[in-house]
């Protein structure tokens, strides 16, 4: 839970500049929401809390600062300012309970680290690490993939052309940063995509 003081960044704001810029982002608020995404009452409650529309499959809605990520057929991830996460989770769970909607809402802000990658060779760098197809037609802006980066689970969010975010568990933040930095080392400027 994020009711208490905000934790320090796992890597104290690590940054690497190579074929792309890799930056550790400050922890944001993250609320995991599980339920029947096709249920109208569930969707209305979630979108009212989020302030944006429901995302389509493998898509994002809103912005990386305040939005919804489609994580699986029964799971969304609400992104919002960290100071709002605990109360947003409580309010949404209460609203769903009052409507007798079966759902689980949990503040998971402390669980994940986030990295931002920017640069023109971003697709090539990411293709070195993940089996997910990074081709423009397969992974357009506004989409996300839950995948692996070498040995760790991660979500890759395509925010804008040349701008992606990677979410991983906080416990593997150092390993993930080293993977991303290694893949972005000078010489990764392969114009494949």
């Amino acid at each position: 839970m994020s009711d208490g003081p905000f934790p320090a960044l796992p890597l104290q704001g690590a940054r690497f500049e190579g074929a792309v810029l890799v930056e550790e982002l400050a922890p944001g608020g993250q609320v995991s929401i599980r339920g029947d995404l096709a249920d109208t009452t569930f969707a209305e409650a979630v979108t009212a809390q989020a302030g944006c529309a429901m995302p389509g499959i493998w898509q994002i809605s809103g912005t990386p600062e305040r939005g919804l990520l489609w994580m699986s057929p029964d799971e969304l991830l609400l992104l919002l300012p960290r100071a709002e996460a605990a109360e947003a989770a409580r309010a949404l769970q209460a609203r769903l309970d009052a409507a007798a909607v079966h759902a689980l809402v949990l503040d998971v802000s402390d669980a994940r680290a986030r990295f931002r990658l920017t640069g023109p060779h971003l697709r090539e760098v990411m293709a070195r690490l993940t089996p997910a197809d990074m081709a423009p037609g397969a992974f357009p802006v506004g989409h996300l993939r839950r995948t692996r980066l070498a040995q760790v689970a991660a979500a890759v969010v395509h925010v804008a052309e040349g701008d992606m975010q990677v979410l991983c568990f906080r416990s593997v933040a150092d390993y993930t940063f080293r993977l991303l930095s290694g893949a972005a080392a000078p010489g990764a400027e392969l114009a494949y995509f």
Side-chain angles (χ1 to χ4, degrees):
M1 299 290 286
S2 62
D3 285 333
F6 295 167
L9 290 169
L11 306 177
Q12 286 80 47
R15 179 182 166 99
F16 175 84
E17 197 161 347
V20 300
L21 176 63
V22 180
E23 304 171 277
E24 181 185 23
L25 295 176
Q30 299 176 27
V31 176
S32 179
I33 307 166
R34 298 200 77 133
D36 181 358
L37 305 188
D39 182 294
T40 305
T41 306
F42 173 87
E44 287 172 358
V46 170
T47 56
Q49 184 69 50
C52 61
M54 287 287 281
I57 296 171
W58 296 120
Q59 294 182 4
I60 61 176
S61 177
T63 69
E65 292 75 35
R66 186 178 297 276
L68 287 168
L69 308 180
W70 185 95
M71 300 298 278
S72 74
D74 70 344
E75 181 184 7
L76 299 169
L77 185 66
L78 171 61
L79 303 177
L80 68 171
R82 188 176 182 87
E84 300 175 23
E87 181 54 36
R90 282 192 288 270
L92 180 55
Q93 186 68 67
R95 184 176 184 165
L96 291 166
D97 289 347
V101 173
H102 179 71
L104 173 67
V105 182
L106 184 64
D107 176 4
V108 295
S109 302
D110 295 341
R112 293 186 181 98
R114 294 186 316 152
F115 298 96
R116 182 176 184 205
L117 290 82
T118 54
H121 303 287
L122 184 53
R123 290 181 186 276
E124 288 82 5
V125 167
M126 292 305 295
R128 291 176 166 197
L129 298 173
T130 178
D133 190 348
M134 291 287 115
F139 191 40
V141 171
H143 284 238
L144 72 94
R145 292 293 179 268
R146 288 185 78 174
T147 186
R148 300 194 70 74
L149 300 180
Q151 299 299 314
V152 297
V156 180
V157 182
H158 197 178
V159 177
E161 199 55 53
D163 186 349
M164 293 184 189
Q165 288 190 12
V166 172
L167 288 79
C168 67
F169 288 114
R170 186 177 173 91
S171 60
V172 294
D174 182 58
Y175 176 73
T176 302
F177 178 74
R178 290 172 190 261
L179 285 174
L180 295 169
S181 300
E189 305 87 350
L190 296 173
Y192 182 76
F193 292 107

